[in-house]
Structure formats: C-alpha cells, structure tokens
Amino acid sequence: MDDELVKQHVQELRRGTVVLACLVSLRDPGYGYGLLESLDEAGIAVDANTLYPLLRRLEKQGVLTSEWNTDEARPRKFYRTSADGERLAEALVAEWHDIDTALTRFITGGTR
C-alpha cells in the first residue's frame, strides 16, 4: 500500500477531531502556540498553518471568542470556547461516542 495514500486518509480522519479538540481545550482560555503544544502533547498533530486559520474560522462562526492580552512584552490573542461552542462541543462529543461505538461493533463483527 502506498504510504502517501495512507497519510492522506489519516489526515482526512483527523481533520474533524482537531475542531473538537480545540473546542474542548479552549474551555480554559489559551493562545495559538500554547494550543499547538497541548494538542501535540495529547497526540493530536496539527500544523500551525492549519490551526490559526481554523481558530479564525471558529471565531467567525461564534463558537470561539477572543481577546488580546497586552500585559506581557509580547501581545497574545487568547481564545475561549463560547456558550455556543460549548453546546457544539457537547454535541460533537456525543456524536464521536456514537461513531466510536458503531465502528467498534462493525470492526469486531457485532453488526450481524
């Protein structure tokens, strides 16, 4: 099997999980680079060139809010999951569990 094909499909599989991971992680305010690090530590690999546009899109959709912290020498934009984002995260977590249960049953042959 072609490694590039596997890599492409793994990337597709992980794409939606990054949204869910951001919404859950940003229940506590965080900035982009810190979020990159915590996602990486959790085993969720995402590139900065993917994450920052995603954060802006989620903010535009109203599921994240942001504010600038200028207390330090280097200003940072902190993001936080909004009330709508929390409701979305809860729905996505429930859906994730349903998909996991269904796939596990399917993979182990429990669908028959």
Side-chain angles (χ1 to χ4, degrees), residues 31-64:
Y31 59 97
Y33 185 74
L35 181 58
L36 273 173
E37 288 181 328
S38 65
L39 291 173
D40 188 55
E41 288 171 12
I44 302 170
V46 61
D47 187 67
N49 293 329
T50 300
L51 182 64
Y52 289 105
L54 173 65
L55 292 173
R56 287 190 295 274
R57 180 172 58 89
L58 294 174
E59 183 179 19
K60 186 175 181 180
Q61 292 172 347
V63 297
L64 291 180

PDB file of all heavy atoms in Angstrom, residues 31-64:
ATOM      1  N   TYR A  31      -3.825  30.555  23.978  1.00  0.00           N
ATOM      2  CA  TYR A  31      -3.363  31.211  22.759  1.00  0.00           C
ATOM      3  C   TYR A  31      -2.863  30.145  21.786  1.00  0.00           C
ATOM      4  O   TYR A  31      -2.654  28.986  22.163  1.00  0.00           O
ATOM      5  CB  TYR A  31      -2.298  32.264  23.063  1.00  0.00           C
ATOM      6  CG  TYR A  31      -1.072  31.727  23.752  1.00  0.00           C
ATOM      7  CD1 TYR A  31       0.062  31.405  23.018  1.00  0.00           C
ATOM      8  CD2 TYR A  31      -1.039  31.545  25.129  1.00  0.00           C
ATOM      9  CE1 TYR A  31       1.193  30.907  23.641  1.00  0.00           C
ATOM     10  CE2 TYR A  31       0.093  31.052  25.763  1.00  0.00           C
ATOM     11  CZ  TYR A  31       1.196  30.728  25.006  1.00  0.00           C
ATOM     12  OH  TYR A  31       2.309  30.225  25.628  1.00  0.00           O
ATOM     13  N   GLY A  32      -2.715  30.540  20.536  1.00  0.00           N
ATOM     14  CA  GLY A  32      -2.418  29.595  19.467  1.00  0.00           C
ATOM     15  C   GLY A  32      -1.247  28.680  19.711  1.00  0.00           C
ATOM     16  O   GLY A  32      -1.371  27.460  19.592  1.00  0.00           O
ATOM     17  N   TYR A  33      -0.076  29.239  20.050  1.00  0.00           N
ATOM     18  CA  TYR A  33       1.110  28.401  20.206  1.00  0.00           C
ATOM     19  C   TYR A  33       0.954  27.435  21.376  1.00  0.00           C
ATOM     20  O   TYR A  33       1.327  26.265  21.281  1.00  0.00           O
ATOM     21  CB  TYR A  33       2.370  29.261  20.393  1.00  0.00           C
ATOM     22  CG  TYR A  33       3.620  28.432  20.430  1.00  0.00           C
ATOM     23  CD1 TYR A  33       4.136  27.873  19.268  1.00  0.00           C
ATOM     24  CD2 TYR A  33       4.273  28.178  21.636  1.00  0.00           C
ATOM     25  CE1 TYR A  33       5.276  27.088  19.296  1.00  0.00           C
ATOM     26  CE2 TYR A  33       5.420  27.398  21.676  1.00  0.00           C
ATOM     27  CZ  TYR A  33       5.915  26.854  20.511  1.00  0.00           C
ATOM     28  OH  TYR A  33       7.046  26.075  20.539  1.00  0.00           O
ATOM     29  N   GLY A  34       0.379  27.903  22.475  1.00  0.00           N
ATOM     30  CA  GLY A  34       0.139  27.021  23.615  1.00  0.00           C
ATOM     31  C   GLY A  34      -0.814  25.896  23.256  1.00  0.00           C
ATOM     32  O   GLY A  34      -0.651  24.755  23.695  1.00  0.00           O
ATOM     33  N   LEU A  35      -1.821  26.212  22.447  1.00  0.00           N
ATOM     34  CA  LEU A  35      -2.762  25.195  21.993  1.00  0.00           C
ATOM     35  C   LEU A  35      -2.057  24.175  21.105  1.00  0.00           C
ATOM     36  O   LEU A  35      -2.283  22.963  21.243  1.00  0.00           O
ATOM     37  CB  LEU A  35      -3.919  25.853  21.241  1.00  0.00           C
ATOM     38  CG  LEU A  35      -5.008  24.934  20.707  1.00  0.00           C
ATOM     39  CD1 LEU A  35      -5.664  24.121  21.820  1.00  0.00           C
ATOM     40  CD2 LEU A  35      -6.052  25.748  19.962  1.00  0.00           C
ATOM     41  N   LEU A  36      -1.193  24.648  20.213  1.00  0.00           N
ATOM     42  CA  LEU A  36      -0.408  23.728  19.380  1.00  0.00           C
ATOM     43  C   LEU A  36       0.373  22.741  20.241  1.00  0.00           C
ATOM     44  O   LEU A  36       0.384  21.538  19.964  1.00  0.00           O
ATOM     45  CB  LEU A  36       0.587  24.503  18.508  1.00  0.00           C
ATOM     46  CG  LEU A  36       0.120  25.025  17.177  1.00  0.00           C
ATOM     47  CD1 LEU A  36       1.197  25.897  16.544  1.00  0.00           C
ATOM     48  CD2 LEU A  36      -0.270  23.898  16.248  1.00  0.00           C
ATOM     49  N   GLU A  37       1.012  23.262  21.270  1.00  0.00           N
ATOM     50  CA  GLU A  37       1.806  22.403  22.156  1.00  0.00           C
ATOM     51  C   GLU A  37       0.940  21.400  22.897  1.00  0.00           C
ATOM     52  O   GLU A  37       1.287  20.220  22.982  1.00  0.00           O
ATOM     53  CB  GLU A  37       2.593  23.253  23.158  1.00  0.00           C
ATOM     54  CG  GLU A  37       3.736  24.007  22.552  1.00  0.00           C
ATOM     55  CD  GLU A  37       4.516  24.815  23.573  1.00  0.00           C
ATOM     56  OE1 GLU A  37       3.917  25.289  24.565  1.00  0.00           O
ATOM     57  OE2 GLU A  37       5.738  24.959  23.385  1.00  0.00           O
ATOM     58  N   SER A  38      -0.186  21.842  23.444  1.00  0.00           N
ATOM     59  CA  SER A  38      -1.023  20.916  24.212  1.00  0.00           C
ATOM     60  C   SER A  38      -1.665  19.867  23.306  1.00  0.00           C
ATOM     61  O   SER A  38      -1.788  18.708  23.703  1.00  0.00           O
ATOM     62  CB  SER A  38      -2.084  21.672  25.026  1.00  0.00           C
ATOM     63  OG  SER A  38      -2.999  22.325  24.191  1.00  0.00           O
ATOM     64  N   LEU A  39      -2.039  20.250  22.095  1.00  0.00           N
ATOM     65  CA  LEU A  39      -2.569  19.260  21.160  1.00  0.00           C
ATOM     66  C   LEU A  39      -1.495  18.235  20.805  1.00  0.00           C
ATOM     67  O   LEU A  39      -1.766  17.028  20.771  1.00  0.00           O
ATOM     68  CB  LEU A  39      -3.099  19.941  19.894  1.00  0.00           C
ATOM     69  CG  LEU A  39      -4.357  20.793  20.044  1.00  0.00           C
ATOM     70  CD1 LEU A  39      -4.663  21.524  18.747  1.00  0.00           C
ATOM     71  CD2 LEU A  39      -5.542  19.959  20.502  1.00  0.00           C
ATOM     72  N   ASP A  40      -0.285  18.719  20.556  1.00  0.00           N
ATOM     73  CA  ASP A  40       0.825  17.813  20.223  1.00  0.00           C
ATOM     74  C   ASP A  40       1.104  16.849  21.375  1.00  0.00           C
ATOM     75  O   ASP A  40       1.294  15.647  21.150  1.00  0.00           O
ATOM     76  CB  ASP A  40       2.072  18.626  19.873  1.00  0.00           C
ATOM     77  CG  ASP A  40       3.187  17.750  19.343  1.00  0.00           C
ATOM     78  OD1 ASP A  40       2.940  17.009  18.359  1.00  0.00           O
ATOM     79  OD2 ASP A  40       4.300  17.788  19.911  1.00  0.00           O
ATOM     80  N   GLU A  41       1.111  17.357  22.602  1.00  0.00           N
ATOM     81  CA  GLU A  41       1.339  16.505  23.773  1.00  0.00           C
ATOM     82  C   GLU A  41       0.261  15.442  23.913  1.00  0.00           C
ATOM     83  O   GLU A  41       0.514  14.343  24.402  1.00  0.00           O
ATOM     84  CB  GLU A  41       1.402  17.353  25.045  1.00  0.00           C
ATOM     85  CG  GLU A  41       2.655  18.184  25.168  1.00  0.00           C
ATOM     86  CD  GLU A  41       2.603  19.173  26.323  1.00  0.00           C
ATOM     87  OE1 GLU A  41       1.684  19.072  27.176  1.00  0.00           O
ATOM     88  OE2 GLU A  41       3.479  20.055  26.368  1.00  0.00           O
ATOM     89  N   ALA A  42      -0.956  15.774  23.468  1.00  0.00           N
ATOM     90  CA  ALA A  42      -2.066  14.827  23.545  1.00  0.00           C
ATOM     91  C   ALA A  42      -2.065  13.843  22.375  1.00  0.00           C
ATOM     92  O   ALA A  42      -2.904  12.950  22.319  1.00  0.00           O
ATOM     93  CB  ALA A  42      -3.391  15.587  23.581  1.00  0.00           C
ATOM     94  N   GLY A  43      -1.130  14.021  21.433  1.00  0.00           N
ATOM     95  CA  GLY A  43      -1.059  13.127  20.285  1.00  0.00           C
ATOM     96  C   GLY A  43      -1.912  13.565  19.110  1.00  0.00           C
ATOM     97  O   GLY A  43      -2.182  12.782  18.204  1.00  0.00           O
ATOM     98  N   ILE A  44      -2.337  14.823  19.123  1.00  0.00           N
ATOM     99  CA  ILE A  44      -3.141  15.370  18.029  1.00  0.00           C
ATOM    100  C   ILE A  44      -2.249  16.328  17.253  1.00  0.00           C
ATOM    101  O   ILE A  44      -2.082  17.482  17.625  1.00  0.00           O
ATOM    102  CB  ILE A  44      -4.395  16.085  18.563  1.00  0.00           C
ATOM    103  CG1 ILE A  44      -5.239  15.112  19.389  1.00  0.00           C
ATOM    104  CG2 ILE A  44      -5.204  16.686  17.413  1.00  0.00           C
ATOM    105  CD1 ILE A  44      -6.363  15.755  20.154  1.00  0.00           C
ATOM    106  N   ALA A  45      -1.655  15.811  16.208  1.00  0.00           N
ATOM    107  CA  ALA A  45      -0.703  16.592  15.426  1.00  0.00           C
ATOM    108  C   ALA A  45      -1.447  17.533  14.494  1.00  0.00           C
ATOM    109  O   ALA A  45      -2.330  17.116  13.740  1.00  0.00           O
ATOM    110  CB  ALA A  45       0.197  15.670  14.622  1.00  0.00           C
ATOM    111  N   VAL A  46      -1.134  18.806  14.592  1.00  0.00           N
ATOM    112  CA  VAL A  46      -1.718  19.806  13.699  1.00  0.00           C
ATOM    113  C   VAL A  46      -0.654  20.857  13.418  1.00  0.00           C
ATOM    114  O   VAL A  46       0.108  21.231  14.296  1.00  0.00           O
ATOM    115  CB  VAL A  46      -3.008  20.422  14.302  1.00  0.00           C
ATOM    116  CG1 VAL A  46      -2.732  21.110  15.607  1.00  0.00           C
ATOM    117  CG2 VAL A  46      -3.682  21.366  13.344  1.00  0.00           C
ATOM    118  N   ASP A  47      -0.620  21.297  12.188  1.00  0.00           N
ATOM    119  CA  ASP A  47       0.357  22.296  11.764  1.00  0.00           C
ATOM    120  C   ASP A  47      -0.167  23.695  12.086  1.00  0.00           C
ATOM    121  O   ASP A  47      -1.370  23.954  12.033  1.00  0.00           O
ATOM    122  CB  ASP A  47       0.573  22.141  10.251  1.00  0.00           C
ATOM    123  CG  ASP A  47       1.688  23.008   9.735  1.00  0.00           C
ATOM    124  OD1 ASP A  47       2.846  22.749  10.093  1.00  0.00           O
ATOM    125  OD2 ASP A  47       1.386  23.956   8.978  1.00  0.00           O
ATOM    126  N   ALA A  48       0.732  24.599  12.413  1.00  0.00           N
ATOM    127  CA  ALA A  48       0.341  25.980  12.710  1.00  0.00           C
ATOM    128  C   ALA A  48      -0.403  26.611  11.542  1.00  0.00           C
ATOM    129  O   ALA A  48      -1.350  27.377  11.741  1.00  0.00           O
ATOM    130  CB  ALA A  48       1.571  26.814  13.066  1.00  0.00           C
ATOM    131  N   ASN A  49      -0.005  26.274  10.323  1.00  0.00           N
ATOM    132  CA  ASN A  49      -0.671  26.824   9.138  1.00  0.00           C
ATOM    133  C   ASN A  49      -2.098  26.306   8.972  1.00  0.00           C
ATOM    134  O   ASN A  49      -2.862  26.847   8.186  1.00  0.00           O
ATOM    135  CB  ASN A  49       0.135  26.518   7.873  1.00  0.00           C
ATOM    136  CG  ASN A  49       1.449  27.256   7.849  1.00  0.00           C
ATOM    137  OD1 ASN A  49       1.564  28.356   8.385  1.00  0.00           O
ATOM    138  ND2 ASN A  49       2.456  26.650   7.254  1.00  0.00           N
ATOM    139  N   THR A  50      -2.422  25.257   9.697  1.00  0.00           N
ATOM    140  CA  THR A  50      -3.789  24.732   9.720  1.00  0.00           C
ATOM    141  C   THR A  50      -4.550  25.297  10.914  1.00  0.00           C
ATOM    142  O   THR A  50      -5.719  25.660  10.807  1.00  0.00           O
ATOM    143  CB  THR A  50      -3.765  23.191   9.804  1.00  0.00           C
ATOM    144  OG1 THR A  50      -3.080  22.673   8.658  1.00  0.00           O
ATOM    145  CG2 THR A  50      -5.161  22.614   9.879  1.00  0.00           C
ATOM    146  N   LEU A  51      -3.880  25.371  12.061  1.00  0.00           N
ATOM    147  CA  LEU A  51      -4.549  25.759  13.294  1.00  0.00           C
ATOM    148  C   LEU A  51      -5.016  27.212  13.295  1.00  0.00           C
ATOM    149  O   LEU A  51      -6.165  27.493  13.639  1.00  0.00           O
ATOM    150  CB  LEU A  51      -3.645  25.517  14.508  1.00  0.00           C
ATOM    151  CG  LEU A  51      -4.292  25.863  15.852  1.00  0.00           C
ATOM    152  CD1 LEU A  51      -5.482  24.955  16.130  1.00  0.00           C
ATOM    153  CD2 LEU A  51      -3.282  25.800  16.970  1.00  0.00           C
ATOM    154  N   TYR A  52      -4.164  28.137  12.922  1.00  0.00           N
ATOM    155  CA  TYR A  52      -4.532  29.555  13.025  1.00  0.00           C
ATOM    156  C   TYR A  52      -5.728  29.923  12.139  1.00  0.00           C
ATOM    157  O   TYR A  52      -6.644  30.602  12.607  1.00  0.00           O
ATOM    158  CB  TYR A  52      -3.322  30.447  12.785  1.00  0.00           C
ATOM    159  CG  TYR A  52      -2.337  30.381  13.933  1.00  0.00           C
ATOM    160  CD1 TYR A  52      -1.147  29.687  13.816  1.00  0.00           C
ATOM    161  CD2 TYR A  52      -2.628  30.985  15.154  1.00  0.00           C
ATOM    162  CE1 TYR A  52      -0.250  29.615  14.877  1.00  0.00           C
ATOM    163  CE2 TYR A  52      -1.739  30.918  16.212  1.00  0.00           C
ATOM    164  CZ  TYR A  52      -0.554  30.226  16.075  1.00  0.00           C
ATOM    165  OH  TYR A  52       0.310  30.152  17.130  1.00  0.00           O
ATOM    166  N   PRO A  53      -5.775  29.468  10.885  1.00  0.00           N
ATOM    167  CA  PRO A  53      -6.993  29.741  10.098  1.00  0.00           C
ATOM    168  C   PRO A  53      -8.234  29.060  10.694  1.00  0.00           C
ATOM    169  O   PRO A  53      -9.332  29.614  10.648  1.00  0.00           O
ATOM    170  CB  PRO A  53      -6.669  29.164   8.711  1.00  0.00           C
ATOM    171  CG  PRO A  53      -5.184  29.139   8.643  1.00  0.00           C
ATOM    172  CD  PRO A  53      -4.718  28.889  10.048  1.00  0.00           C
ATOM    173  N   LEU A  54      -8.045  27.879  11.286  1.00  0.00           N
ATOM    174  CA  LEU A  54      -9.159  27.189  11.928  1.00  0.00           C
ATOM    175  C   LEU A  54      -9.689  28.004  13.104  1.00  0.00           C
ATOM    176  O   LEU A  54     -10.907  28.165  13.261  1.00  0.00           O
ATOM    177  CB  LEU A  54      -8.729  25.800  12.399  1.00  0.00           C
ATOM    178  CG  LEU A  54      -9.761  25.038  13.232  1.00  0.00           C
ATOM    179  CD1 LEU A  54     -11.000  24.716  12.415  1.00  0.00           C
ATOM    180  CD2 LEU A  54      -9.154  23.788  13.817  1.00  0.00           C
ATOM    181  N   LEU A  55      -8.793  28.541  13.921  1.00  0.00           N
ATOM    182  CA  LEU A  55      -9.216  29.355  15.054  1.00  0.00           C
ATOM    183  C   LEU A  55      -9.998  30.582  14.581  1.00  0.00           C
ATOM    184  O   LEU A  55     -11.035  30.930  15.165  1.00  0.00           O
ATOM    185  CB  LEU A  55      -8.009  29.783  15.897  1.00  0.00           C
ATOM    186  CG  LEU A  55      -7.290  28.668  16.645  1.00  0.00           C
ATOM    187  CD1 LEU A  55      -6.022  29.203  17.301  1.00  0.00           C
ATOM    188  CD2 LEU A  55      -8.204  28.005  17.663  1.00  0.00           C
ATOM    189  N   ARG A  56      -9.534  31.218  13.530  1.00  0.00           N
ATOM    190  CA  ARG A  56     -10.246  32.387  12.999  1.00  0.00           C
ATOM    191  C   ARG A  56     -11.625  31.995  12.457  1.00  0.00           C
ATOM    192  O   ARG A  56     -12.609  32.709  12.659  1.00  0.00           O
ATOM    193  CB  ARG A  56      -9.412  33.075  11.915  1.00  0.00           C
ATOM    194  CG  ARG A  56      -8.211  33.831  12.497  1.00  0.00           C
ATOM    195  CD  ARG A  56      -7.538  34.699  11.456  1.00  0.00           C
ATOM    196  NE  ARG A  56      -6.936  33.945  10.370  1.00  0.00           N
ATOM    197  CZ  ARG A  56      -5.709  33.439  10.389  1.00  0.00           C
ATOM    198  NH1 ARG A  56      -4.937  33.592  11.451  1.00  0.00           N
ATOM    199  NH2 ARG A  56      -5.237  32.787   9.352  1.00  0.00           N
ATOM    200  N   ARG A  57     -11.700  30.848  11.794  1.00  0.00           N
ATOM    201  CA  ARG A  57     -12.983  30.387  11.262  1.00  0.00           C
ATOM    202  C   ARG A  57     -13.957  30.067  12.391  1.00  0.00           C
ATOM    203  O   ARG A  57     -15.131  30.441  12.347  1.00  0.00           O
ATOM    204  CB  ARG A  57     -12.776  29.153  10.378  1.00  0.00           C
ATOM    205  CG  ARG A  57     -14.077  28.608   9.795  1.00  0.00           C
ATOM    206  CD  ARG A  57     -13.842  27.518   8.767  1.00  0.00           C
ATOM    207  NE  ARG A  57     -13.101  26.386   9.245  1.00  0.00           N
ATOM    208  CZ  ARG A  57     -13.646  25.300   9.826  1.00  0.00           C
ATOM    209  NH1 ARG A  57     -14.944  25.230  10.018  1.00  0.00           N
ATOM    210  NH2 ARG A  57     -12.888  24.299  10.212  1.00  0.00           N
ATOM    211  N   LEU A  58     -13.468  29.385  13.431  1.00  0.00           N
ATOM    212  CA  LEU A  58     -14.335  29.047  14.559  1.00  0.00           C
ATOM    213  C   LEU A  58     -14.803  30.303  15.287  1.00  0.00           C
ATOM    214  O   LEU A  58     -15.940  30.379  15.759  1.00  0.00           O
ATOM    215  CB  LEU A  58     -13.616  28.093  15.518  1.00  0.00           C
ATOM    216  CG  LEU A  58     -13.312  26.700  14.958  1.00  0.00           C
ATOM    217  CD1 LEU A  58     -12.474  25.901  15.948  1.00  0.00           C
ATOM    218  CD2 LEU A  58     -14.579  25.964  14.580  1.00  0.00           C
ATOM    219  N   GLU A  59     -13.935  31.307  15.352  1.00  0.00           N
ATOM    220  CA  GLU A  59     -14.328  32.578  15.963  1.00  0.00           C
ATOM    221  C   GLU A  59     -15.407  33.259  15.109  1.00  0.00           C
ATOM    222  O   GLU A  59     -16.405  33.759  15.632  1.00  0.00           O
ATOM    223  CB  GLU A  59     -13.110  33.492  16.117  1.00  0.00           C
ATOM    224  CG  GLU A  59     -13.444  34.796  16.806  1.00  0.00           C
ATOM    225  CD  GLU A  59     -12.232  35.697  16.977  1.00  0.00           C
ATOM    226  OE1 GLU A  59     -11.215  35.516  16.286  1.00  0.00           O
ATOM    227  OE2 GLU A  59     -12.332  36.610  17.826  1.00  0.00           O
ATOM    228  N   LYS A  60     -15.231  33.257  13.813  1.00  0.00           N
ATOM    229  CA  LYS A  60     -16.207  33.865  12.910  1.00  0.00           C
ATOM    230  C   LYS A  60     -17.564  33.149  13.024  1.00  0.00           C
ATOM    231  O   LYS A  60     -18.618  33.779  12.907  1.00  0.00           O
ATOM    232  CB  LYS A  60     -15.690  33.802  11.473  1.00  0.00           C
ATOM    233  CG  LYS A  60     -16.539  34.531  10.478  1.00  0.00           C
ATOM    234  CD  LYS A  60     -15.893  34.522   9.112  1.00  0.00           C
ATOM    235  CE  LYS A  60     -16.749  35.285   8.119  1.00  0.00           C
ATOM    236  NZ  LYS A  60     -16.168  35.312   6.791  1.00  0.00           N
ATOM    237  N   GLN A  61     -17.536  31.852  13.275  1.00  0.00           N
ATOM    238  CA  GLN A  61     -18.766  31.070  13.434  1.00  0.00           C
ATOM    239  C   GLN A  61     -19.418  31.290  14.801  1.00  0.00           C
ATOM    240  O   GLN A  61     -20.531  30.832  15.032  1.00  0.00           O
ATOM    241  CB  GLN A  61     -18.482  29.572  13.240  1.00  0.00           C
ATOM    242  CG  GLN A  61     -18.102  29.210  11.831  1.00  0.00           C
ATOM    243  CD  GLN A  61     -17.632  27.773  11.699  1.00  0.00           C
ATOM    244  OE1 GLN A  61     -17.356  27.085  12.677  1.00  0.00           O
ATOM    245  NE2 GLN A  61     -17.538  27.308  10.463  1.00  0.00           N
ATOM    246  N   GLY A  62     -18.703  31.961  15.699  1.00  0.00           N
ATOM    247  CA  GLY A  62     -19.257  32.265  17.012  1.00  0.00           C
ATOM    248  C   GLY A  62     -19.070  31.176  18.058  1.00  0.00           C
ATOM    249  O   GLY A  62     -19.630  31.280  19.146  1.00  0.00           O
ATOM    250  N   VAL A  63     -18.268  30.169  17.746  1.00  0.00           N
ATOM    251  CA  VAL A  63     -18.051  29.095  18.723  1.00  0.00           C
ATOM    252  C   VAL A  63     -16.792  29.318  19.563  1.00  0.00           C
ATOM    253  O   VAL A  63     -16.557  28.611  20.543  1.00  0.00           O
ATOM    254  CB  VAL A  63     -18.064  27.689  18.069  1.00  0.00           C
ATOM    255  CG1 VAL A  63     -19.434  27.404  17.471  1.00  0.00           C
ATOM    256  CG2 VAL A  63     -16.980  27.553  17.022  1.00  0.00           C
ATOM    257  N   LEU A  64     -15.999  30.308  19.177  1.00  0.00           N
ATOM    258  CA  LEU A  64     -14.867  30.772  19.976  1.00  0.00           C
ATOM    259  C   LEU A  64     -14.989  32.286  20.120  1.00  0.00           C
ATOM    260  O   LEU A  64     -15.509  32.958  19.234  1.00  0.00           O
ATOM    261  CB  LEU A  64     -13.518  30.467  19.312  1.00  0.00           C
ATOM    262  CG  LEU A  64     -13.054  29.031  19.207  1.00  0.00           C
ATOM    263  CD1 LEU A  64     -11.687  28.981  18.520  1.00  0.00           C
ATOM    264  CD2 LEU A  64     -12.993  28.349  20.558  1.00  0.00           C
TER     265      LEU A  64
END
